[in-house]
Amino acid sequence: MALEEHAALPCLGGNMKYCCVHCKKCWNHPVEKCIFCGKEITQIKETRYKVIGYTEVFIPSTGNEKVPYFVNLLEGKQGHKIFQKTFQKYDLGKVIDLLEDMVLDQKIGIVGSGLMGIQLAAYMIQYGFPTVLKTRSDDGKKIAYSKIQKNVSKRMSEEEVKKSLQHLTVSTKYKDLAECDIIIEAIAEDITLKKEVFETLSTICKSSAIFATNSSSLSIDELAGMTDRPGMCIGMHFFNPVHRMDLVEVVIGNATTDQTKKIIIDLVLKLNKKPIIVKNSPGYVVNRLLLPQINEAIIMLEEGIASKEDIDNAVKLGLNHPMGPFQLADYIGLDICLSILEVLNKEGTSMKTRPATLLYKMCEEGKLGMKTKEGFYKY
Amino acid sequence: MYIVGAGRTKFGKLPKSLIELTYEAMFNAIEDSPLDIKDIDAIYVSNFLGGPLNGQLHFNSIIASLLPSLNIPIIHIETACASSSVALNQALNSLKNTPNIMIIGVEKMTGTELMSPVDAIAMAGDHENDYEQGLIFPAAYALIAQQYMRKFGISHDVLEQVSYINHKNANRNPLAHFYHKEVTLEMIKKSQMIASPLNLFDCSPLSDGAAAIVISNKKHDDRDIRILSSQIATDTISLTQRADMTSFLATKIAAAKAYKEAGITPENVDVVEVHDCFTISELLALEDLGFCKPGDSSKMIMDGDILIDGNFPVNMDGGLKANGHPIGATGLAQIYEIVTQLRLEAGSRQVDNPEIGLMQSIGGIGGTCGITLLGR
């Protein structure tokens, strides 16, 4: 799996101009002294700009793989012009504040400091969102902080990392989530535990807060039922690794309001990701398609139809998937695969989803994939 | 024709961008000269890998962006490692119409991610034939070294001495890439093999840096340095098309023309900057430039003639080996050193009262050669 470290960062820089007050000349690049008069340069930074032009781009390029996007021509009060890339369309004449738009927007809460919780927090602060991460223990708090720091360091300069980390709060207390606008629950895939979290959030968070779950298969309606605000509960299913995988499944429950849906879709777009809308149902879209395939691959292996390497090659080279089902199952974790399959099987979707015997056996033996150094393959 | 201003940046692995380095060198050159930036009529800019490494071509327009509202003619010249001496040569040709010209050389080679620098530098060779067979740049010079060492029966010790002397000189040059690095002969001997017989200390480093000069068709100041000659010559780029691999014909031709134009012989030259992109190249240069007979350069080196206080100082600034090799800036940095020496402003590495200096600049494996002769 090619986990190339590259993600588009939001446009926060680029709005600095370097001007010689004496010669009335300006540079876009950092200049210390004016070559015309030798005097010191003044740095001018504006944050409020008017949209005076835009183009919508439909052709992808390196670093701009996701299309269409907008390149806006912005003009500041002092007449300085800059470009800004967005995925949202702005009307001509609109005044935008880069600081407000990028940083002061919404406050995000994340419950759970597992693999996904850490990555979500790292991704949020990278995009300038004030973020509170709730962990269980003080030890976990320290570990989470250093993991997030390490995660963002891979894609940012030292200075940017410092700036991003200022947006981060890691806490063991639920009450620190009280002021968050959107809370994303990212704990273990266990309906009982998740219900407890949603119930607790109800009693602590401000009434305007939206509760989202990063569940990969469980029912939004069941979770919403535990809260005082079923209309403001929604699914927000991110994929691992978060900075690489562009999809977010936005899962709409029976009670989810249009307003909640709109706020979450806007957030997903601001995060430079692609939202798809899914009605609440077991496994949503991705896992309902994926897990039966993984299960069938395991059954084929059990039946001796083909080797695991050949089945992986069949899917990679014949179906043009980047990874084969066994590689992917190991990457996801076999315990997680099993739990999703059990949900699909119990809820009775039309596919053949009774988990393969070999899958149960491997989970019992603790061979859960990459994270335990052995699954179908050894790592 | 005079050099009336010279400026450069530090060389090395620097935090500054391609464009920031460019500006710094231009600023320093203008500050050093009696002219104002508004007196400049045209600019020649030398840069080799802006496209493949920095994703920046059309570099003349970048210079224009750094000089808002000047709107003068600016031309980008690329002839690999010889880019800046060729840029100077072309600038001199147009000095009649544009009396004051700035020449800028710049390269940003570290911290770039578009392409491996090894592959990018290999673009200076014959890509279709030689590179496809794995002949990356160090490998080409390694073959020259192998042929030379066999022909003249010298050992690797001579190459080690070239590296050692260049590093010692760089320790006297605060702007050099390896100013602070203490290098011993043992470190050189034990360094990693790159392409046999060349090891790491036979190779010049990847450097960032920029240099700029201002030339004028008239003398403005006592510090101005006379340009006695600037000549360029070319040769087939592939070694397989050459009869002799132990000499660069382009150097011989350009040097002969330069001596003739200046009305001097090699004996008149007091200080020299040669293109030691690999140590072996310094041996070839001393012979091709007529400072000794073929095969005799190792004696000059081992006898210490080429030391700063020797009787024929070479690469006082540390050479490409230790001053650094930001490709597009290298030739202008050599000129900067000769100018500094002739102005008697070289501080602790000042040679005793030099009057004539020569710089040799090589593109690829001798596919282009630029020679500049300067005098007080």
Side-chain angles (χ1 to χ4, degrees):
Chain A
M1 169 124 185
L3 294 178
E4 188 193 323
E5 297 297 338
H6 186 275
L9 289 171
C11 166
L12 277 172
N15 55 335
M16 188 74 88
K17 298 277 173 180
Y18 303 82
C19 298
C20 174
V21 185
H22 184 74
C23 297
K24 305 252 184 299
K25 288 186 193 295
C26 281
W27 289 262
N28 287 351
H29 300 281
V31 160
E32 281 168 19
K33 284 181 178 172
C34 174
I35 196 167
F36 292 89
C37 68
K39 290 197 170 68
E40 296 284 335
I41 291 294
T42 312
Q43 295 188 12
I44 296 176
K45 186 168 187 164
E46 295 192 76
T47 57
R48 282 175 75 76
Y49 289 90
K50 191 195 245 178
V51 181
I52 61 167
Y54 70 88
T55 177
E56 185 172 9
V57 180
F58 294 89
I59 308 292
S61 58
T62 305
N64 305 299
E65 287 79 5
K66 211 175 301 172
V67 289
Y69 60 87
F70 294 88
V71 180
N72 304 298
L73 176 60
L74 310 179
E75 186 177 50
K77 271 224 173 81
Q78 304 182 47
H80 300 308
K81 292 194 270 289
I82 63 166
F83 291 121
Q84 186 205 28
K85 177 184 162 184
T86 59
F87 290 91
Q88 279 167 295
K89 184 178 172 175
Y90 293 131
D91 291 328
L92 286 181
K94 181 185 161 70
V95 174
I96 58 172
D97 190 313
L98 294 184
L99 284 178
E100 263 177 29
D101 269 28
M102 293 313 304
V103 182
L104 309 172
D105 222 356
Q106 288 138 324
K107 191 168 179 182
I108 309 289
I110 291 165
V111 183
S113 55
L115 181 69
M116 290 305 281
I118 296 289
Q119 292 190 59
L120 286 174
Y123 196 80
M124 294 294 171
I125 61 166
Q126 179 181 321
Y127 273 77
F129 286 97
T131 303
V132 182
L133 179 74
K134 155 84 177 68
T135 66
R136 271 183 297 195
S137 66
D138 278 324
D139 278 353
K141 197 171 131 177
K142 274 183 215 132
I143 296 167
Y145 190 87
S146 73
K147 277 185 179 168
I148 292 169
Q149 187 173 24
K150 204 173 147 196
N151 185 305
V152 290
S153 300
K154 288 179 196 163
R155 288 178 295 281
M156 292 172 137
S157 70
E158 226 170 285
E159 201 180 313
E160 289 168 324
V161 169
K162 235 193 217 161
K163 221 164 137 190
S164 299
L165 286 172
Q166 287 170 1
H167 300 311
L168 179 68
T169 312
V170 183
S171 168
T172 55
K173 300 184 192 78
Y174 268 107
K175 73 171 171 46
D176 287 330
L177 297 169
E179 290 309 310
C180 291
D181 299 292
I182 296 169
I183 291 141
I184 306 171
E185 166 278 309
I187 65 162
E189 197 71 351
D190 179 323
I191 190 79
T192 318
L193 294 177
K194 283 190 195 278
K195 278 180 174 174
E196 279 171 26
V197 170
F198 270 65
E199 197 174 1
T200 311
L201 290 175
S202 269
T203 63
I204 283 154
C205 296
K206 62 182 182 186
S207 61
S208 59
I210 291 175
F211 300 160
T213 175
N214 185 49
S215 172
S216 55
S217 62
L218 298 174
S219 167
I220 306 306
D221 294 333
E222 264 191 75
L223 297 175
M226 303 303 293
T227 71
D228 58 347
R229 62 193 90 181
M232 294 162 83
C233 293
I234 194 164
M236 220 179 161
H237 182 206
F238 289 84
F239 291 78
N240 178 33
V242 172
H243 75 274
R244 281 276 298 169
M245 301 295 278
D246 286 340
L247 184 70
V248 177
E249 286 183 305
V250 177
V251 187
I252 310 299
N254 279 332
T256 310
T257 63
D258 284 349
Q259 175 68 8
T260 302
K261 181 172 138 185
K262 187 185 172 300
I263 291 171
I264 294 301
I265 289 173
D266 282 351
L267 174 63
V268 172
L269 290 173
K270 274 185 212 155
L271 291 170
N272 201 359
K273 299 222 172 279
K274 173 79 186 166
I276 62 163
I277 310 300
V278 191
K279 225 167 97 178
N280 184 37
S281 60
Y284 317 139
V285 171
V286 172
N287 283 333
R288 187 159 157 188
L289 283 173
L290 173 67
L291 270 302
Q293 192 202 55
I294 288 177
N295 199 41
E296 198 63 34
I298 301 170
I299 293 168
M300 275 198 275
L301 181 68
E302 281 178 322
E303 290 174 0
I305 304 292
S307 69
K308 56 180 186 277
E309 290 84 2
D310 281 354
I311 296 173
D312 275 348
N313 276 333
V315 170
K316 279 195 286 188
L317 306 178
L319 300 178
N320 202 21
H321 293 190
M323 295 169 93
F326 294 106
Q327 290 171 314
L328 190 52
D330 279 354
Y331 185 72
I332 295 168
L334 300 192
D335 50 339
I336 292 171
C337 289
L338 180 57
S339 73
I340 300 170
L341 272 167
E342 282 176 333
V343 171
L344 292 179
N345 192 40
K346 201 172 89 192
E347 306 285 334
T349 56
S350 56
M351 303 284 287
K352 182 178 167 187
T353 50
R354 198 161 57 88
T357 320
L358 179 58
L359 185 56
Y360 278 111
K361 188 170 165 269
M362 291 182 69
C363 285
E364 274 164 26
E365 288 170 2
K367 293 177 183 167
L368 303 181
M370 272 184 184
K371 60 186 170 189
T372 59
K373 307 263 190 275
E374 186 176 352
F376 289 102
Y377 298 101
K378 285 190 175 161
Y379 300 92
Chain B
M1 297 179 292
Y2 297 87
I3 295 177
V4 302
R8 63 170 277 191
T9 68
K10 165 117 183 110
F11 284 2
K13 195 174 169 181
L14 307 174
K16 292 193 173 178
S17 73
L18 178 70
I19 296 169
E20 289 171 74
L21 290 167
T22 306
Y23 187 87
E24 190 180 326
M26 293 198 312
F27 185 91
N28 290 345
I30 282 294
E31 187 149 87
D32 180 66
S33 91
L35 298 180
D36 193 273
I37 188 70
K38 285 180 178 160
D39 299 326
I40 301 296
D41 302 297
I43 293 175
Y44 281 74
V45 56
S46 146
N47 174 249
F48 175 35
L49 295 173
L53 285 186
N54 316 108
Q56 184 66 66
L57 287 170
H58 196 191
F59 204 67
N60 56 327
S61 71
I62 292 291
I63 307 290
S65 304
L66 292 173
L67 302 170
S69 70
L70 272 197
N71 307 98
I72 54 175
I74 304 176
I75 295 153
H76 175 197
I77 300 271
E78 187 276 299
T79 59
C81 314
S83 297
S84 42
S85 59
V86 174
L88 169 61
N89 182 273
Q90 293 303 293
L92 288 166
N93 285 344
S94 61
L95 212 51
K96 239 183 240 162
N97 303 320
T98 44
N100 301 311
I101 302 180
M102 183 186 267
I103 303 113
I104 306 158
V106 63
E107 209 73 55
K108 174 73 186 174
M109 306 183 73
T110 75
T112 63
E113 284 166 3
L114 286 180
M115 188 177 201
S116 131
V118 175
D119 291 330
I121 294 166
M123 290 179 173
D126 179 334
H127 199 89
E128 275 188 28
N129 295 319
D130 301 351
Y131 176 71
E132 300 289 323
Q133 295 300 319
L135 193 84
I136 57 170
F137 235 67
Y141 274 95
L143 274 166
I144 292 174
Q146 184 266 332
Q147 296 277 307
Y148 185 98
M149 287 161 77
R150 213 176 83 153
K151 183 172 175 182
F152 295 110
I154 66 155
S155 73
H156 192 253
D157 292 358
V158 181
L159 304 186
E160 287 159 14
Q161 197 60 34
V162 170
S163 185
Y164 183 73
I165 293 170
N166 276 319
H167 272 284
K168 285 292 155 224
N169 290 354
N171 291 147
R172 300 196 205 179
N173 178 7
L175 295 175
H177 189 139
F178 292 122
Y179 173 55
H180 286 294
K181 193 177 177 87
E182 282 299 330
V183 171
T184 63
L185 270 174
E186 180 159 358
M187 280 164 75
I188 295 173
K189 269 185 206 303
K190 286 188 174 163
S191 72
Q192 191 203 333
M193 192 58 79
I194 300 294
S196 66
L198 301 183
N199 66 22
L200 184 64
F201 273 91
D202 287 308
C203 310
S204 53
L206 298 178
S207 313
D208 308 325
I213 60 170
V214 179
I215 61 171
S216 177
N217 62 3
K218 59 173 190 277
K219 193 171 171 159
H220 294 260
D221 190 281
D222 282 348
R223 286 171 78 243
D224 295 353
I225 297 297
R226 220 147 50 84
I227 301 170
L228 306 178
S229 180
S230 160
Q231 294 290 338
I232 55 178
T234 57
D235 196 0
T236 60
I237 188 60
S238 181
L239 295 173
T240 57
Q241 279 180 276
R242 298 198 200 151
D244 183 5
M245 279 171 61
T246 60
S247 163
F248 287 155
L249 187 59
T251 303
K252 288 182 173 171
I253 294 170
K257 283 159 77 178
Y259 291 135
K260 192 173 171 206
E261 187 183 17
I264 63 165
T265 65
E267 287 75 40
N268 301 121
V269 176
D270 301 311
V271 283
V272 185
E273 286 280 314
V274 299
H275 192 90
D276 59 318
C277 52
F278 296 89
T279 46
I280 183 66
S281 183
E282 185 157 328
L283 277 68
L284 266 56
L286 295 174
E287 296 167 14
D288 292 337
L289 292 167
F291 300 132
C292 65
K293 289 201 187 77
D296 284 356
S297 59
S298 54
K299 192 171 178 326
M300 284 179 77
I301 292 157
M302 297 314 267
D303 289 353
D305 292 351
I306 64 166
L307 298 174
I308 288 177
D309 49 10
N311 55 27
F312 191 69
V314 177
N315 290 4
M316 295 71 65
D317 61 0
L320 280 58
K321 174 69 205 78
N323 179 36
H325 188 17
I327 297 177
T330 297
L332 282 170
Q334 292 174 304
I335 288 170
Y336 175 93
E337 179 64 16
I338 301 281
V339 166
T340 308
Q341 290 284 348
L342 295 180
R343 283 170 168 178
L344 308 178
E345 293 172 359
S348 71
R349 61 178 196 284
Q350 180 65 53
V351 170
D352 186 29
N353 209 23
E355 287 181 0
I356 292 177
L358 177 148
M359 73 74 88
Q360 173 231 26
S361 176
I362 292 285
I365 5 159
T368 306
C369 177
I371 302 286
T372 314
L373 276 169
L374 303 176
R376 262 200 276 168

